[in-house]
Amino acid sequence: MTMLDHVGFAVADYERSKAFYEKALAPLGFTLLMEFSGAAAAFGKDDGGRPSFFIERGRLHIALKAESRAQVDAFHAAATEAGGTDNGAPGVRTTYHPDYYGGYVLDPDGNNIEAVCHQPG
């Protein structure tokens, strides 16, 4: 199993970067699959899969794969106990898909680190 589920890069000019990545990723078979409030764009292969590359206003975002919702909960608890700042308690995020279960923590440098499980509860 790979460690990363998806990654998001912070961009200074969202519209300029979105246009750049739409063109640059096309030869690799990646297209814009989702967009959130004009502040985040999700790219992936248009084969029914999930997005794996994001651009967004704000900060670096890395999502780590978890095998279960219990692992997401344990990650969030351990990360906050280690000094991370809660940036979204573990829970279902139906905005992404019905089984998306993620928990978010800001690391000591302010990066948004997420653990995510895609399995049904």
Side-chain angles (χ1 to χ4, degrees), residues 6-118:
H6 60 272
V7 63
F9 289 92
V11 296
D13 183 325
Y14 176 76
E15 291 299 329
R16 181 187 68 196
S17 294
K18 183 176 79 168
F20 169 79
Y21 281 110
E22 282 181 297
K23 288 183 181 175
L25 297 176
L28 302 175
F30 286 85
T31 61
L32 178 65
L33 297 179
M34 308 166 104
E35 191 168 11
F36 306 97
S37 304
F43 296 88
K45 298 222 175 192
D46 194 13
D47 59 2
R50 292 184 287 270
S52 57
F53 179 78
F54 289 73
I55 59 165
E56 50 196 82
R57 293 183 179 141
R59 57 181 58 98
L60 175 71
H61 171 89
I62 294 179
L64 307 171
K65 286 185 179 181
E67 295 178 17
S68 68
R69 292 179 178 197
Q71 280 187 335
V72 173
D73 296 342
F75 159 81
H76 189 270
T80 55
E81 287 172 18
T85 303
D86 173 40
N87 196 35
V92 175
R93 306 301 201 277
T94 57
T95 301
Y96 306 126
H97 67 75
D99 296 318
Y100 194 104
Y101 188 87
Y104 306 82
V105 176
L106 298 179
D107 76 3
D109 293 306
N111 298 305
N112 187 26
I113 310 300
E114 172 190 6
V116 60
C117 176
H118 298 282

